Amino acid sequence: MHRTIAAFMVAASLAGTAEAQTSPPPGIPAATTSSQAMPAFSLDAALGAAGVSSAAGTPATSTATGGGVSGPGGSTQTALPSIGAATANVAAATAARRVAGLRPNPELQTQVENIGGSGAYRGVRSSETTVGVALPLELGGKRPARVALANARLTRAQIQAEIARADLRLRVTQLYIEAAAAERRSEVLAEQAGIANNAFRVSSERVKAGDVGPIEQQRADVLRINAQVAADSATRQAQVARSNLETLLNAPVTGPLDRTWFERIDGYGPPRPLDVEGTLALVAAQADVRTADAQVRVARSLRVPDLTVSAFARRLAATNDTAAVVGLSIPIPLFNNGNAFVAQSQAEQTQALALRSLAIVDTRQQIASAQTEVANAAATARAAGGPGLAAAQEAARIARIGWSQGKFDQIALLDAERTLSQTRQTYVDALAAYHDAQARLDRLTTPAPTISGDDR
């Protein structure tokens, strides 16, 4: 009688487990009914909350103003720190360009001579008062050189603002991927804990019925405890991952994350050669070269001395007469002739050229590595979520039936269940790795925007 009851409980428990495992999409358990009723919080919604374009690689026109971003529903929220810093940098460079175009201010000068002396020059009786204006004249093309340097720096600041947006887009995407993967792992391990709990109850009944020894119950109890600990840990990891995403967005993340997007794998194949010249990294390096070129131009212009032209009116107190005074001054480049500054600027120009060449090599290597990671992760995910998962599910199904009929021992059953759980986790990890590599590849290949006022 006890054996009949135990066999019935085994069949019912395993049937319920098998039904739970066949209902969700391949490789991942289904979400709860309450979460299915809520609309999914998509990656586009997360990017919109961060105020960045949802389409990676979409060029945008840089502007020098704008301290806020538009959140979901058209509401305006405070810019995230990285975007706010980049926007302020553009505003500062714009102001610096206006400053560079200004001419030197004239000087108002006055002199009083022949006072406080002796004899005829006692007091102010023979004083000579001179009042006039001195106007510095910049020579050597200093003002155009300053403007060119300011334009180059403004262009670099605008590119840096686009880099900040691309980096923020990548960071939001990676946190979203991390949160989505953590939730899927939590679901897998929670189901595994349920299976281990059922196996422990069945083992207890079989021990009571005298079908197996107590060691089987003890083994099932250990596995049940370990599975529950792993499930609890995965739950906490999912909560932390969602909290990190909310902290970055400074907005609540409600509802389940987009399961359809997470499980989608786009087409992949052999890596395709990409032109790195138009990417943000290369355009930024080229902007640094143009800035260094403009700095050399400024340094050379500073070697030409400036003139100061002055015109004065002098009053002679002794005769109460007035006379005009004209002056011209030019500095003598005796101690500083500007050669050191030119040498420094030329060295920085050489450095910028070398860094640009290095950026080409690094960008090509990083793109090639990301393309390989995308292909490998996609292949792993398709294998783990397709034939690999089907084989693991079938092996677990056969092990359950054989164990319930006494043909397989508990070790074979547990090994099959563990393999199925590991295959599901491998599928989730491969999906996370695929999306992460794809996000990094999109960041590396983000085209440079059209910069307004770009002085090339």
Side-chain angles (χ1 to χ4, degrees):
M1 180 65 180
H2 290 290
R3 293 186 178 183
T4 302
I5 295 175
F8 176 77
M9 292 187 64
V10 169
S13 176
L14 295 179
T17 302
E19 181 180 358
Q21 291 173 341
T22 56
S23 59
I28 300 181
T32 61
T33 304
S34 60
S35 61
Q36 287 178 343
M38 300 181 64
F41 185 83
S42 65
L43 176 60
D44 288 348
L47 293 172
V52 292
S53 172
S54 60
T58 302
T61 300
S62 294
T63 58
T65 60
V69 295
S70 177
S75 60
T76 302
Q77 62 182 21
T78 303
L80 295 177
S82 58
I83 301 300
T87 302
N89 189 32
V90 172
T94 302
R97 183 175 63 176
R98 293 196 300 268
V99 172
L102 301 178
R103 300 180 183 277
N105 290 321
E107 297 180 4
L108 178 62
Q109 298 180 356
T110 181
Q111 295 180 353
V112 180
E113 302 177 7
N114 301 330
I115 60 174
S118 60
Y121 299 102
R122 184 182 301 275
V124 295
R125 289 176 298 176
S126 301
S127 64
E128 297 181 359
T129 304
T130 305
V131 178
V133 176
L135 180 64
L137 299 179
E138 291 184 310
L139 303 179
K142 292 183 178 63
R143 179 171 171 269
R146 285 199 312 270
V147 172
L149 177 59
N151 282 333
R153 288 174 174 171
L154 174 58
T155 299
R156 183 62 176 86
Q158 291 173 328
I159 294 173
Q160 187 61 40
E162 292 301 326
I163 291 176
R165 293 185 181 93
D167 289 342
L168 178 59
R169 185 185 302 113
L170 173 62
R171 187 178 178 189
V172 170
T173 302
Q174 288 179 325
L175 285 179
Y176 187 91
I177 294 169
E178 182 180 346
E183 289 189 356
R184 304 306 181 269
R185 294 188 190 99
S186 177
E187 293 170 2
V188 170
L189 292 176
E191 182 176 327
Q192 189 67 20
I195 293 173
N197 192 47
N198 289 337
F200 172 72
R201 290 200 302 267
V202 171
S203 298
S204 299
E205 292 298 328
R206 296 185 69 178
V207 170
K208 292 179 181 179
D211 292 340
V212 295
I215 187 62
E216 184 170 308
Q217 180 182 3
Q218 296 298 324
R219 186 186 296 116
D221 191 22
V222 172
L223 294 175
R224 175 186 65 85
I225 295 173
N226 291 338
Q228 189 59 51
V229 170
D232 294 341
S233 177
T235 300
R236 288 189 291 269
Q237 290 292 338
Q239 293 172 347
V240 170
R242 180 177 285 254
S243 177
N244 290 338
L245 181 60
E246 291 178 338
T247 300
L248 178 61
L249 301 180
N250 193 25
V253 177
T254 57
L257 301 183
D258 192 349
R259 182 188 299 270
T260 302
W261 173 84
F262 185 73
E263 295 177 3
R264 185 176 67 245
I265 300 176
D266 298 327
Y268 67 95
R272 293 171 296 178
L274 295 173
D275 183 14
V276 300
E277 291 295 332
T279 61
L280 279 175
L282 265 295
V283 171
Q286 184 60 39
D288 290 336
V289 172
R290 291 197 299 271
T291 301
D293 293 342
Q295 185 66 55
V296 171
R297 180 180 171 184
V298 169
R300 288 173 176 169
S301 69
L302 293 176
R303 297 179 60 185
V304 180
D306 295 335
L307 295 178
T308 301
V309 179
S310 57
F312 303 90
R314 174 173 295 178
R315 177 181 177 276
L316 305 174
T319 60
N320 199 25
D321 293 326
T322 302
V325 179
V326 178
L328 180 66
S329 64
I330 182 171
I332 301 175
L334 180 61
F335 301 108
N336 182 8
N337 58 10
N339 288 336
F341 188 31
V342 171
Q344 175 188 346
S345 301
Q346 289 176 339
E348 293 173 351
Q349 181 186 42
T350 303
Q351 179 188 32
L353 290 170
L355 291 177
R356 181 187 182 279
S357 300
L358 181 62
I360 294 176
V361 175
D362 288 344
T363 303
R364 287 176 177 170
Q365 290 178 347
Q366 292 172 4
I367 290 176
S369 298
Q371 286 178 327
T372 302
E373 291 178 20
V374 168
N376 290 342
T380 301
R382 290 187 174 181
L389 179 61
Q393 287 176 333
E394 180 63 15
R397 186 187 68 84
I398 294 173
R400 295 187 199 106
I401 296 175
W403 182 61
S404 65
Q405 296 176 355
K407 297 180 179 180
F408 296 153
D409 58 11
Q410 187 188 36
I411 295 179
L413 172 64
L414 297 176
D415 183 67
E417 295 288 1
R418 182 167 51 250
T419 300
L420 176 58
S421 177
Q422 290 174 349
T423 303
R424 284 175 169 167
Q425 293 185 59
T426 299
Y427 178 51
V428 173
D429 292 343
L431 286 173
Y434 165 77
H435 287 295
D436 182 79
Q438 186 64 56
R440 287 186 284 109
L441 179 61
D442 291 340
R443 167 63 183 86
L444 290 169
T445 57
T446 299
T450 300
I451 303 297
S452 59
D454 189 4
D455 182 30
R456 296 177 187 269

